[in-house]
Amino acid sequence: MITVLFFGELVEIVGTNKKIVVDFSDINSLKSALLEEFPLLEKKYFQIALNSKLTQENCNLKSGDELAFLPQFAGG
């Protein structure tokens, strides 16, 4: 099982700021399912962190992994 967290404006789109637990074997499959369920996500730029490290590629997931969907943010 994979724990998924959403932050910032993404919380408003998915409707929860709580951790959700899902069962997917790779990031692309999970992302596709989320985009199908929450089409507004497709219009947002976000990054994905796997176990607290940003990832730009599709990775296999294993039970106990944590994914965080992070919206674009500005800072200085």
Side-chain angles (χ1 to χ4, degrees):
M1 300 307 260
I2 310 304
T3 303
V4 181
L5 301 149
F6 297 93
F7 293 92
E9 63 186 344
L10 304 180
V11 169
E12 295 172 21
I13 294 171
V14 299
T16 185
N17 63 349
K18 297 183 180 358
K19 295 179 181 180
I20 61 171
V21 178
V22 296
D23 189 16
F24 283 88
S25 61
D26 62 80
I27 290 175
N28 279 350
S29 296
L30 172 59
K31 187 176 172 184
S32 293
L34 289 171
L35 290 173
E36 187 174 315
E37 186 170 348
F38 305 105
L40 290 176
L41 284 176
E42 197 157 358
K43 297 180 181 182
K44 299 295 180 182
Y45 173 82
F46 57 86
Q47 291 186 292
I48 300 173
L50 171 60
N51 298 324
S52 301
K53 295 182 182 174
L54 291 178
T55 182
Q56 296 294 327
E57 58 189 63
N58 185 34
C59 297
N60 289 326
L61 300 170
K62 61 186 183 312
S63 185
D65 281 344
E66 181 178 85
L67 287 177
F69 284 73
L70 308 166
Q72 185 172 6
F73 52 90

